[in-house]
Amino acid sequence: MKTNELYQTVLSKLGHIKDEEEKLSRVYILLEEMEAGTPDEEIVSVDVHNREEYRELVMEIADALNEEFICFVNPETLEFEQVDCKAWFNPEEIAEQNEDMLDEYLLDYIKWDDYIRLDPFNREDLRRVMEKFAEDIDDPKLAKTLQNYLEEDRPLRYMLQKIRDAEKEDVWNVFKKQEIINYVKGELAETELPQ
């Protein structure tokens, strides 16, 4: 990732917490300590949810959800499986599927004692993300246009086209991906992860 892209990504992430003083304060302290070369032990000390494999898992799940796969996570082993259920079977009726069919698709999550299911964003979720995006974007004219579209019945397609026309598609994709990452972290936050 180029420096400018990285900078824009960091800025968009900061935009998510711009009204949360405690989180901004923690970021500020971390940046000060990084600049001084003396990171605070409390911030650097890592709990299970900050381990590298957990961060990688979150990113892999977010990527799969972004591609509209349903994800299943085994909280005991951190294994995850992505399933394109729309293509070949209904996940709500999985218990009724015959075993031959399940074997054909080699689904591991069926054999797990426990799993967490994460679904891709539906229309209402995307609308909510669009509302946040329209509030946070630093282009007042585009923000107003997007907010106007939100008042219509089916705004998503028109909004996405307007974002493309304004050459803000990269900003939108980063914003949406961060919202998906936040969703994944939220779903896994209460999970007892293996040490």
Side-chain angles (χ1 to χ4, degrees):
M1 184 178 286
K2 294 180 182 174
T3 305
N4 192 34
E5 291 173 16
L6 188 58
Y7 177 72
Q8 291 301 321
T9 303
V10 170
L11 279 180
S12 72
K13 290 181 183 199
L14 287 175
H16 294 292
I17 62 170
K18 68 180 180 187
D19 298 326
E20 299 180 40
E21 188 174 335
E22 181 182 326
K23 288 181 181 178
L24 282 173
S25 175
R26 287 179 23 212
V27 170
Y28 178 76
I29 291 168
L30 178 61
L31 288 172
E32 272 191 330
E33 290 172 349
M34 286 174 66
E35 187 176 47
T38 57
D40 181 31
E41 265 185 48
E42 183 180 316
I43 294 173
V44 173
S45 70
V46 188
D47 68 14
V48 175
H49 287 91
N50 286 325
R51 287 196 329 229
E52 184 63 30
E53 66 262 28
Y54 175 76
R55 286 194 300 272
E56 288 174 14
L57 174 69
V58 167
M59 293 307 293
E60 288 177 24
I61 293 169
D63 288 340
L65 292 174
N66 198 32
E67 297 296 320
E68 298 190 11
F69 284 87
I70 296 172
C71 295
F72 299 91
V73 179
N74 183 335
E76 295 173 11
T77 63
L78 294 185
E79 291 174 89
F80 105 96
E81 187 164 52
Q82 62 188 36
V83 180
D84 184 7
C85 293
K86 294 176 190 170
W88 35 267
F89 74 91
N90 182 345
E92 301 301 326
E93 299 170 2
I94 193 69
E96 298 170 18
Q97 305 293 332
N98 69 42
E99 196 148 323
D100 293 338
M101 182 181 171
L102 295 177
D103 288 342
E104 179 183 340
Y105 295 112
L106 304 172
L107 300 174
D108 291 330
Y109 83 91
I110 301 299
K111 301 170 191 153
W112 297 340
D113 292 336
D114 191 20
Y115 61 80
I116 301 163
R117 176 181 167 161
L118 298 111
D119 292 300
F121 283 175
N122 61 31
R123 285 189 176 276
E124 280 307 306
D125 295 327
L126 283 174
R127 186 182 184 107
R128 179 185 44 77
V129 173
M130 280 284 193
E131 288 171 357
K132 286 179 73 174
F133 181 73
E135 291 171 5
D136 286 357
I137 194 159
D138 60 357
D139 181 338
K141 185 177 176 183
L142 179 60
K144 181 66 175 159
T145 301
L146 296 178
Q147 288 166 351
N148 288 340
Y149 280 131
L150 282 165
E151 295 172 9
E152 297 183 19
D153 286 340
R154 301 185 76 173
L156 298 179
R157 182 173 33 150
Y158 300 115
M159 291 179 75
L160 290 173
Q161 186 58 51
K162 194 64 177 173
I163 289 168
R164 279 187 211 102
D165 294 346
E167 298 180 357
K168 298 285 187 180
E169 193 170 11
D170 289 343
V171 177
W172 159 248
N173 288 332
V174 167
F175 187 89
K176 183 178 108 177
K177 181 75 174 279
Q178 187 58 49
E179 289 297 309
I180 294 171
I181 290 168
N182 292 343
Y183 161 67
V184 173
K185 286 180 176 180
E187 292 297 304
L188 298 180
E190 301 299 317
T191 304
E192 189 83 22
L193 297 176
Q195 296 295 323

